[in-house]
Amino acid sequence: MSYLVRKIERSRWNGSDIAGSRIKADVVASCIRPNGSELSVWFAENEADIAKAKLAMLAAMNKLATVDFVILPIAEIQDAGLKVVSTLPTLGPESLKALHRDIHDLDLDSLKVVAQIIQEHIVNKKAVRLTRDACKRMLLGAIQSNEFSADELHADIAKNLAVA
């Protein structure tokens, strides 16, 4: 089974993270935040590749921080009538850019569907947190194993890793 990994801001779901609760508009505006009609996600071919998708997401960020994310089965997204397309991000190591996807051609109705899917995963305790230190360890491990170079990371992250 394939998956999509999406960064969320767990604190923004306060009150919208209860089964059957209404999803507040602020969740869409401040957490889901589509870019136009696209929503950035990272692809994992199977459960074993989820760590690589997390790494790709972390390596494309511009700041080292605690990160909350959900792991969504791609079939769930596609079964809801949503389109997933392969796109190349502008940030992050070249070796991981191919894992980037967009949930494509979103409108208000489909954005609601995405929010409901994410809500369901939060309610079912499928949202996961990586602390800032865990993120740092993942990135340092990837650099040390030559998966990519610190030069391919945002300067602020490289500086915080003390490898620049």
Side-chain angles (χ1 to χ4, degrees):
M1 179 186 308
S2 299
Y3 300 91
L4 299 173
V5 177
R6 171 69 187 169
K7 178 182 176 237
I8 62 169
E9 291 186 38
R10 182 68 177 83
S11 62
R12 302 290 185 174
W13 286 82
N14 190 18
S16 294
D17 54 359
I18 300 165
S21 66
R22 291 178 50 219
I23 298 173
K24 297 175 183 173
D26 187 47
V27 168
V28 175
S30 64
C31 174
I32 295 176
R33 290 188 317 248
N35 183 12
S37 61
E38 314 296 323
L39 187 65
S40 179
V41 291
W42 296 89
F43 178 75
E45 185 68 40
N46 51 49
E47 284 191 39
D49 288 343
I50 290 173
K52 191 165 213 140
K54 290 180 201 174
L55 180 63
M57 179 185 64
L58 295 174
M61 292 172 45
N62 60 13
K63 180 174 121 179
L64 194 58
T66 294
V67 177
D68 293 302
F69 58 91
V70 291
I71 300 166
L72 309 170
I74 197 168
E76 208 172 306
I77 299 296
Q78 293 170 330
D79 290 349
L82 302 168
K83 299 177 220 161
V84 178
V85 296
S86 181
T87 57
L88 290 177
T90 56
L91 300 174
E94 288 299 320
S95 63
L96 299 174
K97 284 185 177 183
L99 298 177
H100 189 264
R101 303 288 188 274
D102 279 322
I103 299 176
H104 179 68
D105 198 26
L106 292 170
D107 60 17
L108 189 56
D109 294 327
S110 56
L111 194 55
K112 178 182 177 184
V113 171
V114 171
Q116 289 169 328
I117 291 170
I118 292 172
Q119 179 189 45
E120 179 182 333
H121 285 268
I122 292 171
V123 166
N124 292 321
K125 309 285 188 229
K126 294 181 182 174
V128 181
R129 173 168 280 182
L130 281 177
T131 64
R132 184 180 188 278
D133 286 343
C135 294
K136 185 175 182 177
R137 284 191 302 275
M138 278 185 77
L139 291 166
L140 283 170
I143 292 166
Q144 291 167 351
S145 65
N146 294 317
E147 288 186 59
F148 53 81
S149 163
D151 296 338
E152 295 180 90
L153 300 173
H154 189 278
D156 287 345
I157 289 181
K159 180 179 147 190
N160 277 295
L161 295 176
V163 294

